[in-house]
Amino acid sequence: MRIGVPKEIKNHEYRVGLVPSSVAELVHHGHSVMVERGAGLGAGLADGEYEAAGAVIVDGPGRIFMEAEMVVKVKEPLPEERRRLRPEQILFTYLHLAPDLEQTKDLMASGATCIAYETVTSPSGALPLLTPMSEVAGRLAPQVGAHCLEKAQGGRGVLLGGVPGVPGAEVVILGGGVSGSHAAAIALGMGAHVTVIDRSADVLRRLSSQFGSSVRTLFSTRESIAQAVRQADLLIGAVLVPGAAAPKIVTHDMVRSMQAGSVIVDIAIDQGGCSETSRPTTHSEPTYIIDDVVHYCVTNMPGAVARTSTFALNNVTLPFTLALADKGWLQAVKDDRFLRDGLNVHAGKIVCRPVAEAHGLPYTPAEEVLA
């Protein structure tokens, strides 16, 4: 199969779809790989490393989208990239379609087969291709939140860990999944007081077992969220409903109740955000202020640590990339029901129920497509 890796063009996105070792594996399996010149530089990967692994370096994205049978990326294709997609081409990347009607319609119009990292599942029901980026985003959240709490950034002027005689910040984390638990670990390590809210009693038990009495756990109700949000110096939104838009569990009234200079870091912004006041931002302009509360809603947080993120992502995506290349997408998703869950759009049809429901568009079960 002819595989193409374009350079990411999203604002300050430095990750790359394949690292040289992944290219070498694909070439070893008999496939050809084209990499856009400079695609890996943001992650510290030179063109020469890709050439040594067997890739062909090409100038610009044109040839990649024209010739590649499968395009491997990191972030969702932007409009100029979507216009280059064509029927029978495979797109393998993060898509996050539920909050993005325009992208959904464009991918349907392209006729391409679009497989989303974030909806591929595992036998345990986990999301193996989302997990490493959730880990990165969770670990970044207290770090960027601590920076936003600085007075010069519009924050309260609170040091996350405090100092002897002065208490640390109150950190409230909504969601105790992968991102939330990693955020809790880092916030604790920085010396903050941490509360995690989740609607799953099993998750709360796991967090209690993991952190002991160091973390306060609360069952998620509207009232418990409202009270915790009101007291938070740093609120981290780590809510996830796989494939679907994030629920807006933090209302505008709750945001108004927060202390001036408090900070919201909404990790869920890729799926629309979990606060009514959240809107997507970029690494160039990461924050805005509503009702004296600083909002950090960058949609590609892991891109800030591109080298770590790129290698972590390739560790989990490579087996699926190889399967798609070795077998073709149709046989690969027939053989692997977990990869099949990643199929979002095919030949103009939406094959992911949460995406279809989010936009009120017709849903086609994967079984019909495979037949």
Side-chain angles (χ1 to χ4, degrees):
M1 181 178 286
R2 296 186 302 278
I3 299 161
V5 182
K7 184 177 181 179
E8 298 292 327
I9 60 173
K10 191 180 180 76
N11 181 275
H12 284 281
E13 180 53 72
Y14 302 110
R15 290 172 289 179
V16 62
L18 294 176
V19 298
S21 59
S22 297
V23 170
E25 285 293 317
L26 287 160
V27 171
H28 178 71
H29 280 240
H31 308 293
S32 62
V33 182
M34 294 179 290
V35 177
E36 184 177 349
R37 189 177 303 280
L41 291 179
L45 300 168
D47 292 339
E49 296 179 69
Y50 284 101
E51 289 178 310
V56 175
I57 302 298
V58 300
D59 292 313
R63 183 178 167 190
I64 287 174
F65 281 94
M66 183 179 297
E67 297 182 13
E69 296 169 273
M70 176 163 63
V71 175
V72 179
K73 283 176 41 62
V74 177
K75 288 303 292 178
E76 74 281 353
L78 297 186
E80 61 194 88
E81 296 173 305
R82 300 198 291 264
R83 286 191 289 270
R84 296 179 183 270
L85 293 169
R86 52 185 172 76
E88 300 184 3
Q89 193 169 48
I90 303 166
L91 174 66
F92 193 34
T93 188
Y94 287 116
L95 292 175
H96 299 292
L97 292 178
D100 194 341
L101 177 60
E102 181 183 356
Q103 184 195 176
T104 301
K105 288 184 174 180
D106 284 351
L107 294 184
M108 293 172 69
S110 74
T113 297
C114 306
I115 302 172
Y117 294 158
E118 73 272 10
T119 59
V120 173
T121 58
S122 73
S124 67
L127 303 171
L129 306 193
L130 184 62
T131 293
M133 296 304 95
S134 296
E135 292 170 343
V136 170
R139 287 173 173 264
L140 273 174
Q143 179 176 313
V144 299
H147 179 61
C148 292
L149 276 170
E150 296 172 12
K151 193 65 177 178
Q153 307 304 317
R156 296 191 66 211
V158 172
L159 182 64
L160 203 67
V163 293
V166 182
E170 293 291 337
V171 176
V172 174
I173 301 169
L174 303 177
V178 175
S179 291
S181 59
H182 279 262
I186 298 303
L188 277 176
M190 296 175 75
H193 302 282
V194 179
T195 298
V196 182
I197 302 177
D198 200 281
R199 64 180 181 178
S200 166
D202 288 339
V203 168
L204 298 179
R205 292 189 189 97
R206 173 178 55 77
L207 292 168
S208 181
S209 176
Q210 180 179 355
F211 297 112
S213 59
S214 298
V215 169
R216 179 185 180 215
T217 58
L218 292 176
F219 185 77
S220 178
T221 65
R222 186 178 178 86
E223 182 59 28
S224 67
I225 293 171
Q227 289 183 2
V229 167
R230 190 159 51 243
Q231 298 167 1
D233 294 301
L234 171 59
L235 176 66
I236 297 175
V239 178
L240 174 68
V241 178
K248 303 291 187 182
I249 63 173
V250 178
T251 66
H252 198 155
D253 284 341
M254 292 180 191
V255 174
R256 290 191 189 99
S257 76
M258 298 177 74
Q259 303 171 87
S262 298
V263 174
I264 296 175
V265 175
D266 198 342
I267 299 174
I269 194 64
D270 271 342
Q271 294 295 118
C274 62
S275 171
E276 289 181 348
T277 54
S278 292
R279 58 176 172 78
T281 62
T282 67
H283 286 293
S284 292
E285 298 182 26
T287 63
Y288 58 91
I289 297 175
I290 293 180
D291 294 321
D292 295 322
V293 175
V294 180
H295 291 62
Y296 179 99
C297 303
V298 174
T299 55
N300 58 328
M301 286 179 65
V305 285
R307 188 171 179 87
T308 297
S309 298
T310 293
F311 280 92
L313 182 60
N314 268 244
N315 288 344
V316 293
T317 57
L318 179 59
F320 295 97
T321 305
L322 283 168
L324 289 166
D326 289 346
K327 301 177 179 181
W329 78 268
L330 183 59
Q331 193 60 48
V333 299
K334 282 184 176 180
D335 292 347
D336 187 344
R337 65 185 179 90
F338 305 109
L339 177 58
R340 191 184 315 155
D341 290 336
L343 190 61
N344 276 216
V345 177
H346 168 70
K349 299 177 181 178
I350 299 179
V351 194
C352 179
R353 185 186 294 275
V355 172
E357 291 177 347
H359 299 307
L361 294 171
Y363 163 66
T364 302
E367 292 71 21
E368 290 186 23
V369 169
L370 301 185

